[in-house]
Amino acid sequence: MTTTENVETRNGVDVSQLTHTVDAIGTDPDLANFRFRAHNVWLGGGRSRTEMHGFWGAGAEDTSRAEPFVLHGDEPPVLLGSNQAPNAVEAVLHALASCLAVGVTYNAAAQGIDVRSLEFDLEGRLDLHGFLGLSPDIRPGYQHIEVTYRIDSDAPDDVLDELCAHVQRTSPVLDMLRHPVEVSVTRT
Amino acid sequence: MTTTENVETRNGVDVSQLTHTVDAIGTDPDLANFRFRAHNVWLGGGRSRTEMHGFWGAGAEDTSRAEPFVLHGDEPPVLLGSNQAPNAVEAVLHALASCLAVGVTYNAAAQGIDVRSLEFDLEGRLDLHGFLGLSPDIRPGYQHIEVTYRIDSDAPDDVLDELCAHVQRTSPVLDMLRHPVEVSVTRT
């Protein structure tokens, strides 16, 4: 991320803090190591509850959150649930969209681009044969995710297209979807 | 998913509905096609809001949800946010946990295994050099996700281990993390 102007806040992002963060990591690369955590408890049927509280980052255990954040998961009735929350693959769409929103607006701020509005529509196609174990040839996850977005900004089209290309190279969630992640699952 | 007993409800899951679903998909494979959707609006800084409402599945547009579900995303102060919601990579941990919870308890229900409790702890390691565009050699997403879980059940260890192995083969979100997903991103 390269900052181009000395403006304090752009797109709601403190650009000077962003510059300081980049400089600090340049001096001490270990500050870039983060460890995020979650604790999930099954509540019966398709329902479960996830708490996210502390994390490690910037060389210290974060203590900024007085209370944990809570997200709920459930399934719709057609998938045997009680429809009390979005399901896991819908949560993936949320994770992707919120990641792209941060990527676009933070990078725009760093480049001196004002964003007035930004919206995403996402659709993921999934074949239930995979989850139900009915066909080993059909993947359980989305076969395709389509993201369309609209951005209101005075920046020229080619600048916005390059911004979007940069965000696609650096978005953590998009990276985790497009490229394999090592996941260990252990019963304790 | 293979059902072994004629019990109506196990682990809060309607096993007879599960059997009917599997049978119906066997008769008409198109019923397995689902399309989930989300709409995300950026709210300034690191904040955005995702709505998930209707979806296509089981041969029809789902109308079971009177109101959309809403999930919020934000960043902690150390990542230039206002700490109003979990961030995108924490939402990924939630999506993974809630997916595994459904996978374990639905498949246990199908196999006649009673689950009394189920909990997951997740941790994802991430190097901010990737997101900040400071090093093209460092991936933006998690370098590793560690999932540990505890299950309280009378089933023998080898049965639970085989259940876990089956869930790891059929979990939609785990599949999307471990194997590449095709994602298109288009500005409209």
Side-chain angles (χ1 to χ4, degrees):
Chain A
M1 213 173 269
T2 311
T3 58
T4 57
E5 291 183 38
N6 194 19
V7 176
E8 279 294 309
T9 299
R10 195 183 294 274
N11 304 332
V13 179
D14 183 333
V15 180
S16 52
Q17 186 192 346
L18 182 53
T19 307
H20 290 317
T21 301
V22 169
D23 290 347
I25 289 173
T27 305
D28 181 0
D30 282 349
L31 295 177
N33 291 325
F34 278 68
R35 289 174 180 249
F36 292 101
R37 308 180 199 114
H39 178 68
N40 175 279
V41 177
W42 173 61
L43 301 176
R47 291 181 301 124
S48 69
R49 177 184 195 276
T50 306
E51 291 197 355
M52 289 137 292
H53 198 174
F55 60 88
W56 176 268
E61 180 69 19
D62 186 81
T63 56
S64 66
R65 299 166 170 174
E67 299 289 329
F69 294 120
V70 176
L71 294 179
H72 285 264
D74 194 5
E75 295 287 351
V78 71
L79 294 173
L80 317 181
S82 54
N83 228 3
Q84 294 181 30
N87 75 8
V89 294
E90 292 178 305
V92 167
L93 299 182
H94 160 69
L96 177 56
S98 67
C99 192
L100 293 172
V102 167
V104 168
T105 55
Y106 279 32
N107 280 286
Q111 294 176 27
I113 300 168
D114 287 315
V115 175
R116 278 189 294 268
S117 72
L118 177 64
E119 295 191 26
F120 297 86
D121 281 297
L122 303 94
E123 181 171 279
R125 291 203 314 262
L126 184 147
D127 185 329
L128 214 57
H129 283 88
F131 171 66
L132 292 173
L134 299 174
S135 170
D137 300 328
I138 295 177
R139 70 176 302 168
Y142 287 134
Q143 294 170 323
H144 184 82
I145 298 174
E146 183 179 298
V147 181
T148 56
Y149 73 102
R150 289 161 302 290
I151 184 167
D152 183 13
S153 169
D154 289 332
D157 277 354
D158 60 338
V159 171
L160 294 177
D161 287 340
E162 176 45 41
L163 173 66
C164 177
H166 178 76
V167 170
Q168 289 192 59
R169 287 189 297 270
T170 56
S171 159
V173 178
L174 186 56
D175 168 46
M176 287 191 272
L177 290 168
R178 284 183 170 165
H179 308 110
V181 180
E182 192 183 284
V183 184
S184 63
V185 181
T186 311
R187 187 161 64 88
T188 59
Chain B
M1 215 173 267
T2 311
T3 58
T4 55
E5 290 183 40
N6 193 21
V7 175
E8 280 294 310
T9 298
R10 195 182 294 273
N11 303 334
V13 179
D14 183 334
V15 180
S16 53
Q17 187 193 346
L18 182 54
T19 308
H20 290 315
T21 300
V22 170
D23 290 347
I25 289 173
T27 306
D28 181 358
D30 282 348
L31 295 177
N33 291 325
F34 279 67
R35 288 174 181 250
F36 292 100
R37 307 180 199 113
H39 178 68
N40 174 279
V41 177
W42 173 61
L43 301 176
R47 291 180 300 124
S48 69
R49 177 184 195 274
T50 306
E51 290 198 355
M52 290 137 290
H53 198 172
F55 60 88
W56 175 269
E61 180 69 18
D62 186 81
T63 57
S64 66
R65 297 166 173 176
E67 299 289 330
F69 294 120
V70 176
L71 294 179
H72 284 264
D74 194 5
E75 295 288 350
V78 70
L79 295 173
L80 317 181
S82 54
N83 229 1
Q84 294 182 29
N87 75 7
V89 294
E90 291 178 305
V92 167
L93 299 182
H94 162 69
L96 176 56
S98 66
C99 193
L100 294 172
V102 167
V104 168
T105 55
Y106 279 32
N107 280 287
Q111 295 175 27
I113 300 168
D114 288 314
V115 175
R116 279 188 293 267
S117 71
L118 176 65
E119 296 191 26
F120 298 86
D121 281 297
L122 303 95
E123 181 171 278
R125 289 202 315 261
L126 184 147
D127 185 328
L128 213 58
H129 282 87
F131 170 66
L132 291 174
L134 299 176
S135 171
D137 300 328
I138 295 177
R139 69 175 305 167
Y142 286 134
Q143 294 170 323
H144 183 83
I145 298 174
E146 184 179 298
V147 181
T148 55
Y149 73 101
R150 290 161 300 289
I151 183 167
D152 183 15
S153 169
D154 289 332
D157 276 355
D158 60 338
V159 170
L160 294 178
D161 286 340
E162 177 45 40
L163 173 66
C164 177
H166 178 76
V167 170
Q168 289 194 58
R169 287 190 296 270
T170 57
S171 159
V173 178
L174 186 57
D175 168 44
M176 287 192 272
L177 289 169
R178 283 183 170 165
H179 308 110
V181 180
E182 192 182 284
V183 184
S184 64
V185 181
T186 311
R187 187 161 64 88
T188 59

